[in-house]
């Protein structure tokens, strides 16, 4: 067989690969649809949502969760491409935790110490720790599949950041249901729920994203 004929034959047999950016975008859209289906089928928005949207604490939850999803997406697109510097995205990922830290400090100044424990424990912590990881599984699985279109040099880290993206998507939906709006609650229980997803993403990334 001639060399040109061999190249053509190999090209025809090679699997079709999506551009990484398009694959990640499709995974996020598909994952959001899956998570939303679980959300609306299982819990839905809180009954007093019309009153809640008039409060800063309720709206601020979405600022934090969307900041996490957006910054983690930017980082993961760089992690999946070997040799591409992470640049400012590694620092942008700090936006969500910094927002939470500032909000907790403001809450401590605004609210009496006697109310801190109640606001921290909240009323929905078990649901938070359960539903965010459950709703994040679909987005995480699709993101890991999309990342196989790239070549992450650190598969565990790429899987962990995929977990952050998936958590951001799931937490944004869950925030519409959660009756606990205090930054104390969000900083504690949303973070723990995100940690569960990140751990799953790390382990899955090490297994499924290796070259």
């Amino acid at each position: 067989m001639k060399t040109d004929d061999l190249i053509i034959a190999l090209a025809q047999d090679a699997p079709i690969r999506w551009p990484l950016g398009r694959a990640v975008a499709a995974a996020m859209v598909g994952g959001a649809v899956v998570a939303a289906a679980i959300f609306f089928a299982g819990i839905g928005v809180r009954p007093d949502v019309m009153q809640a949207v008039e409060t800063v604490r309720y709206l601020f939850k979405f600022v934090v969760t969307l900041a996490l999803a957006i910054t983690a997406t930017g980082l993961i697109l760089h992690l999946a491409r070997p040799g591409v510097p992470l640049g400012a995205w590694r620092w942008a990922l700090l936006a969500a935790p910094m927002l939470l830290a500032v909000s907790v400090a403001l809450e401590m100044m605004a609210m009496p110490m006697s109310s801190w424990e109640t606001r921290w424990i909240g009323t929905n912590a078990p649901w938070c720790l359960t539903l965010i990881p459950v709703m994040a599984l679909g987005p995480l699985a699709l993101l890991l599949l999309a990342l196989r279109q790239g070549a992450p040099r650190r598969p565990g880290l790429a899987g962990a950041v995929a977990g952050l993206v998936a958590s951001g998507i799931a937490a944004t939906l869950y925030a519409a249901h959660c009756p606990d709006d205090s930054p104390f609650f969000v900083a504690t229980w949303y973070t723990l729920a995100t940690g569960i997803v990140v751990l799953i993403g790390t382990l899955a990334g090490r297994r499924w994203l290796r070259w």
Side-chain angles (χ1 to χ4, degrees):
M1 180 181 291
K2 295 181 180 179
T3 303
D4 291 344
D5 294 335
L6 177 59
I7 293 173
I8 292 172
L10 291 174
Q12 290 175 342
D13 291 338
I16 298 174
R17 297 176 68 86
W18 281 24
L20 179 61
R22 185 185 301 175
V24 170
M28 291 182 67
V29 172
V33 170
V34 172
I38 296 173
F39 174 77
F40 287 108
I43 52 177
V45 299
R46 54 194 278 182
D48 63 339
V49 65
M50 298 308 296
Q51 292 76 34
V53 295
E54 298 178 358
T55 65
V56 174
R57 286 182 177 85
Y58 178 76
L59 296 177
F60 184 74
K61 293 190 297 185
F62 298 97
V63 174
V64 173
T65 57
L66 288 173
L68 176 63
I70 292 169
T71 56
T73 300
L75 182 59
I76 205 170
L77 288 171
H78 287 66
L79 283 171
R81 296 185 173 101
V84 175
L86 300 182
W89 284 108
R90 71 176 73 190
W91 306 114
L93 196 61
L94 297 175
M98 288 179 64
L99 286 169
L100 274 178
V102 171
S103 66
V104 167
L106 292 174
E107 185 89 333
M108 293 175 69
M109 291 187 289
M111 295 297 164
M113 187 179 296
S114 59
S115 71
W116 291 0
E117 182 176 358
T118 300
R119 291 174 175 275
W120 169 59
I121 296 174
T123 60
N124 234 32
W127 285 106
C128 178
L129 289 176
T130 302
L131 291 174
I132 289 179
V134 167
M135 290 191 292
L137 289 178
L140 177 59
L142 290 175
L143 282 166
L144 291 172
L145 183 62
L147 288 175
R148 290 175 64 86
Q149 305 299 310
R153 294 180 60 185
R154 301 170 67 182
L157 179 59
V161 178
L164 291 177
V165 178
S167 296
I169 294 171
T172 299
L173 287 165
Y174 179 74
H177 167 81
C178 182
D180 298 297
D181 299 333
S182 171
F184 290 160
F185 184 92
V186 176
T188 302
W189 304 107
Y190 281 49
T191 300
L192 288 174
T194 296
I196 294 171
V197 183
V198 169
L199 177 59
I200 295 172
T202 301
L203 297 176
R206 289 175 179 173
R207 180 176 178 83
W208 300 110
L209 298 180
R210 289 184 296 179
W211 294 11

